[in-house]
Amino acid sequence: MQVRPLQDRVLVKRLEEETKTAGGIIIPDNHTEKPVQGEIVSVGPGYRKEDGSFRELDVKAGDKVLFGKYAGTDVKVEGVDYLIMKEDDILGVLQ
Amino acid sequence: MQVRPLQDRVLVKRLEEETKTAGGIIIPDNHTEKPVQGEIVSVGPGYRKEDGSFRELDVKAGDKVLFGKYAGTDVKVEGVDYLIMKEDDILGVLQ
Amino acid sequence: MQVRPLQDRVLVKRLEEETKTAGGIIIPDNHTEKPVQGEIVSVGPGYRKEDGSFRELDVKAGDKVLFGKYAGTDVKVEGVDYLIMKEDDILGVLQ
Amino acid sequence: MQVRPLQDRVLVKRLEEETKTAGGIIIPDNHTEKPVQGEIVSVGPGYRKEDGSFRELDVKAGDKVLFGKYAGTDVKVEGVDYLIMKEDDILGVLQ
Amino acid sequence: MQVRPLQDRVLVKRLEEETKTAGGIIIPDNHTEKPVQGEIVSVGPGYRKEDGSFRELDVKAGDKVLFGKYAGTDVKVEGVDYLIMKEDDILGVLQ
Amino acid sequence: MQVRPLQDRVLVKRLEEETKTAGGIIIPDNHTEKPVQGEIVSVGPGYRKEDGSFRELDVKAGDKVLFGKYAGTDVKVEGVDYLIMKEDDILGVLQ
Amino acid sequence: MQVRPLQDRVLVKRLEEETKTAGGIIIPDNHTEKPVQGEIVSVGPGYRKEDGSFRELDVKAGDKVLFGKYAGTDVKVEGVDYLIMKEDDILGVLQ
């Protein structure tokens, strides 16, 4: 089963970040407010223009992206966790 | 009796998700904030354009869709529970 | 005495819903947050366009409609209770 | 002395409603949240259009109107209480 | 020294209202929420249009105006108290 | 070192106001909510228009201006305190 | 690894400010609410126009800029801390 995002949304697979201190202590989740990274799995058709056509997104499947910790909505498809967010929630692309 | 959604709204039949842990304990509703799935039953005519005509929606009856847990409004028609939401509340289509 | 709604507003007569459980216990009002049904009594001339003309509403007098519990404003005209709401507060039409 | 409302505002004389129960007990003001009625005393020139001209209002002096309890601002002119509100705060006209 | 209001702002000299009860008791300020009156001292050039020109205001210096109690910002120029507010905060003109 | 404000922002040097009572008692800052005066040090290129060009501001370096007490953001450049604010935060020009 | 900011965003390297008093006491972070300075590392392609093309930003890589303390989102790329913010969060350029 696949997810086709609508409009200007993208489906993102979160890339785990280490949240351990140097000494190896795991910091609980609510103390690490920094943005996270992910890889785009699929993208929507783009922004709807007034005439009904779409303007394509600036990101594409495979892009590694930075976004805010609370961006998007968690979705689970066939037991796998993803995020669906608007392209505007993406801060930048890692190259 | 049928419901004809107005404008860019859709009528959705919620698809139940399992909210049991591996050990079979049912987690109360307010601990499972993840989005839910549904099937679109009927769709409105679309977005009203300035000239009065409609731009059709990107989803259609029969589509299985993902949406946020708090999207839409619960309605009961002849004893059956549905959701009416705006197309913009739909995150993606399952294929 | 009649009420002529202004612009994109409609005058609605609320249709009572049963709020009893199977065992006949009446659930107090603040526990039944589900939308309610009503019948449209009269409609305003429509949305004002930039040129001053009106775009007619998609609903008409006699339509049975669904709306959110808190939609509109209660008005009493000659002792009868009505709701005045914007067409945009109407979720769908029952057919 | 007269009040000339600006733009899309109207000057309204509130029509008192009875707020007694059948047994004649006067219900304190904060328990009667229902809209009130009034008569329009004077109207502004209308909505300002981009080219500087006005689009006239849909109501006129003498109209009996319904509005929300908290619509408008109370003004006192020569000891008489009025309300100044925007036409958009008027729900409907009584005929 | 003079104040030239910018854009659609006006400089207003507040006209004092009596806030005594019939028996002569002075009601403290926070119990008299009703709008106040003032006289316009000077007006800005008007609303900026897209092409950079101005659309003149509907009020002029010398107009006696009604406005909400909390409209505008208090300014003191050479020891005299004024209010600077946007024309849109003015409810009506007294004639 | 100089500060070049971006777009419709201006750099302002605050002019100190006396906040002493007649008897010479200094009133703490949070009791003197009245706007303050300043002198414009430099101005941005103006409002960006749709075609990318700028519409110049109505104020210029050297203007003595009135603004609300909480307008703008404090900046320190080479040990000197300034305010950077949007032209729209300026209430009027002293002449 | 590089970060390519999207649209009208910029990647900024924060320039540390001294937050010691004259006597050398370090003031804790939450007492120094003043804006901070940074150097722009890379910029996005600009503001998306209706036709899909970009309008370039007014700032460029290498610019030293002033911004509000809470502007932007902290990102860490290969162990180095940056800020990603919208150009509109930049108050001015140091020259």
Side-chain angles (χ1 to χ4, degrees):
Chain A
M1 206 186 300
Q2 298 273 313
V3 176
R4 172 168 61 88
L6 286 181
Q7 313 248 7
D8 57 326
R9 292 190 181 84
V10 299
L11 185 76
V12 174
K13 185 90 190 64
R14 201 186 283 264
L15 301 177
E16 292 307 320
E17 291 177 299
E18 296 172 52
T19 55
K20 289 185 296 186
T21 63
I25 299 156
I26 291 167
I27 304 159
D29 196 45
N30 56 341
H31 291 161
T32 62
E33 306 279 357
K34 62 184 169 308
V36 287
Q37 300 179 14
E39 185 175 334
I40 293 180
V41 176
S42 60
V43 300
Y47 296 91
R48 270 283 200 188
K49 290 196 284 192
E50 267 305 292
D51 63 7
S53 67
F54 291 100
R55 175 165 64 70
E56 280 189 19
L57 300 183
D58 293 334
V59 295
K60 59 183 187 305
D63 279 356
K64 287 198 171 52
V65 294
L66 292 166
F67 44 88
K69 193 178 184 68
Y70 300 113
T73 307
D74 293 296
V75 298
K76 182 175 278 196
V77 181
E78 301 190 322
V80 184
D81 289 315
Y82 297 97
L83 277 166
I84 291 182
M85 66 184 70
K86 299 213 162 193
E87 190 198 45
D88 196 49
D89 292 325
I90 298 177
L91 301 169
V93 179
L94 290 162
Q95 299 184 307
Chain B
M1 206 187 300
Q2 298 274 313
V3 176
R4 173 168 60 89
L6 286 181
Q7 313 248 7
D8 58 326
R9 292 189 181 84
V10 298
L11 185 76
V12 175
K13 184 90 190 64
R14 201 186 283 263
L15 301 177
E16 292 308 319
E17 292 176 299
E18 296 172 51
T19 56
K20 288 186 297 187
T21 64
I25 299 157
I26 291 168
I27 302 160
D29 196 44
N30 56 341
H31 291 161
T32 62
E33 305 279 356
K34 62 184 170 307
V36 286
Q37 301 179 13
E39 184 174 334
I40 293 179
V41 176
S42 61
V43 300
Y47 296 92
R48 270 283 200 187
K49 290 196 283 192
E50 267 305 292
D51 63 7
S53 67
F54 290 100
R55 175 164 64 68
E56 280 190 19
L57 300 182
D58 293 334
V59 295
K60 58 183 187 306
D63 279 356
K64 287 197 170 53
V65 293
L66 292 165
F67 44 88
K69 192 178 183 69
Y70 299 113
T73 307
D74 294 296
V75 298
K76 183 175 276 196
V77 182
E78 301 189 321
V80 184
D81 289 315
Y82 297 96
L83 276 167
I84 291 182
M85 66 183 68
K86 300 213 163 193
E87 189 198 47
D88 197 50
D89 292 325
I90 297 177
L91 301 169
V93 178
L94 291 161
Q95 298 185 308
Chain C
M1 206 187 300
Q2 299 275 312
V3 176
R4 173 167 60 89
L6 284 182
Q7 314 249 6
D8 58 326
R9 291 188 181 86
V10 298
L11 185 76
V12 175
K13 184 90 189 65
R14 202 186 283 264
L15 301 177
E16 292 309 318
E17 291 176 298
E18 295 172 52
T19 56
K20 288 186 296 187
T21 63
I25 299 157
I26 291 168
I27 303 159
D29 195 45
N30 56 342
H31 291 161
T32 62
E33 305 279 357
K34 62 184 170 307
V36 286
Q37 300 179 14
E39 185 174 334
I40 293 180
V41 176
S42 60
V43 300
Y47 296 92
R48 270 282 200 189
K49 290 196 284 193
E50 268 304 294
D51 63 6
S53 68
F54 290 100
R55 175 164 65 68
E56 281 190 19
L57 300 182
D58 293 334
V59 294
K60 59 183 187 306
D63 279 354
K64 287 198 170 52
V65 293
L66 292 165
F67 44 88
K69 192 179 183 69
Y70 300 113
T73 307
D74 294 295
V75 298
K76 183 175 276 196
V77 181
E78 301 190 321
V80 184
D81 288 315
Y82 298 96
L83 276 167
I84 291 181
M85 66 183 71
K86 299 212 163 193
E87 189 197 47
D88 196 49
D89 292 325
I90 297 177
L91 301 169
V93 178
L94 291 161
Q95 298 184 307
Chain D
M1 206 187 299
Q2 298 275 313
V3 176
R4 173 167 61 89
L6 285 182
Q7 314 249 5
D8 57 325
R9 291 189 181 85
V10 299
L11 185 76
V12 174
K13 184 91 189 65
R14 201 186 283 265
L15 301 177
E16 291 309 318
E17 292 177 297
E18 296 173 50
T19 56
K20 288 186 297 186
T21 63
I25 299 158
I26 292 166
I27 303 159
D29 195 45
N30 56 342
H31 290 162
T32 62
E33 305 279 356
K34 63 184 170 307
V36 286
Q37 300 179 13
E39 185 174 333
I40 293 181
V41 176
S42 59
V43 300
Y47 296 92
R48 269 282 200 189
K49 290 196 285 193
E50 269 305 292
D51 63 6
S53 68
F54 291 101
R55 175 165 64 68
E56 281 190 19
L57 300 183
D58 293 334
V59 293
K60 60 184 186 305
D63 279 355
K64 287 198 170 52
V65 293
L66 292 165
F67 44 87
K69 192 179 183 68
Y70 300 113
T73 307
D74 294 295
V75 297
K76 183 174 276 195
V77 182
E78 301 190 322
V80 183
D81 289 315
Y82 298 96
L83 277 166
I84 291 182
M85 65 183 70
K86 299 212 163 193
E87 189 198 46
D88 197 50
D89 292 325
I90 297 177
L91 301 169
V93 178
L94 291 161
Q95 299 184 308
Chain E
M1 207 187 299
Q2 298 274 314
V3 176
R4 172 168 60 89
L6 284 182
Q7 313 248 7
D8 58 326
R9 292 189 180 85
V10 298
L11 186 76
V12 174
K13 184 91 189 66
R14 201 186 283 264
L15 301 176
E16 292 309 318
E17 292 176 299
E18 295 173 51
T19 55
K20 288 186 297 186
T21 64
I25 300 157
I26 291 167
I27 303 160
D29 195 44
N30 55 342
H31 290 163
T32 61
E33 304 279 356
K34 62 185 169 308
V36 287
Q37 300 179 13
E39 185 175 334
I40 293 180
V41 176
S42 59
V43 301
Y47 296 93
R48 269 283 201 189
K49 290 196 286 193
E50 269 304 293
D51 62 7
S53 68
F54 291 99
R55 175 165 64 70
E56 280 190 21
L57 300 182
D58 293 334
V59 293
K60 59 182 187 305
D63 279 355
K64 286 198 171 52
V65 293
L66 293 165
F67 45 88
K69 192 178 184 68
Y70 300 113
T73 307
D74 293 296
V75 297
K76 183 174 277 195
V77 182
E78 301 190 322
V80 184
D81 289 314
Y82 298 96
L83 277 166
I84 291 182
M85 65 183 69
K86 299 212 163 193
E87 188 198 48
D88 196 50
D89 292 325
I90 297 176
L91 301 169
V93 178
L94 291 162
Q95 300 183 306
Chain F
M1 207 187 299
Q2 298 273 313
V3 177
R4 172 168 61 89
L6 285 181
Q7 313 249 6
D8 57 326
R9 292 189 180 85
V10 298
L11 185 76
V12 175
K13 184 90 189 67
R14 201 186 283 264
L15 300 177
E16 292 309 318
E17 292 176 299
E18 296 173 51
T19 55
K20 288 185 296 185
T21 63
I25 299 157
I26 291 167
I27 303 160
D29 195 45
N30 55 343
H31 290 162
T32 62
E33 305 278 356
K34 62 183 170 309
V36 287
Q37 301 179 13
E39 184 174 333
I40 293 180
V41 177
S42 60
V43 301
Y47 296 93
R48 270 282 200 189
K49 290 196 285 192
E50 268 305 293
D51 63 6
S53 68
F54 291 100
R55 174 164 64 69
E56 280 189 23
L57 300 182
D58 292 334
V59 293
K60 59 182 187 306
D63 279 355
K64 286 197 171 52
V65 293
L66 291 166
F67 44 87
K69 191 178 184 68
Y70 300 113
T73 307
D74 293 296
V75 298
K76 182 175 277 195
V77 182
E78 302 190 322
V80 184
D81 290 315
Y82 298 97
L83 277 166
I84 291 182
M85 66 184 69
K86 299 213 164 195
E87 189 198 46
D88 197 50
D89 293 323
I90 297 177
L91 300 169
V93 179
L94 292 162
Q95 300 184 305
Chain G
M1 207 186 300
Q2 297 274 311
V3 176
R4 172 167 62 88
L6 286 181
Q7 313 248 8
D8 57 326
R9 291 189 181 85
V10 299
L11 185 75
V12 174
K13 184 90 189 65
R14 201 186 283 264
L15 301 177
E16 293 308 319
E17 292 178 298
E18 297 173 50
T19 55
K20 288 186 296 187
T21 63
I25 300 156
I26 291 167
I27 303 159
D29 196 45
N30 55 341
H31 292 161
T32 62
E33 305 278 358
K34 63 184 170 309
V36 286
Q37 300 180 13
E39 185 174 333
I40 293 180
V41 176
S42 59
V43 300
Y47 297 92
R48 270 282 200 189
K49 290 196 285 192
E50 268 305 292
D51 63 6
S53 68
F54 291 100
R55 175 164 64 69
E56 280 189 21
L57 300 183
D58 293 334
V59 294
K60 58 183 188 304
D63 279 356
K64 287 198 170 51
V65 293
L66 292 165
F67 44 88
K69 192 178 185 67
Y70 299 114
T73 307
D74 293 296
V75 299
K76 182 175 278 196
V77 183
E78 301 191 322
V80 184
D81 289 315
Y82 298 97
L83 277 166
I84 291 182
M85 66 183 70
K86 300 212 163 193
E87 189 198 46
D88 197 49
D89 292 325
I90 298 177
L91 301 169
V93 179
L94 291 161
Q95 299 184 306

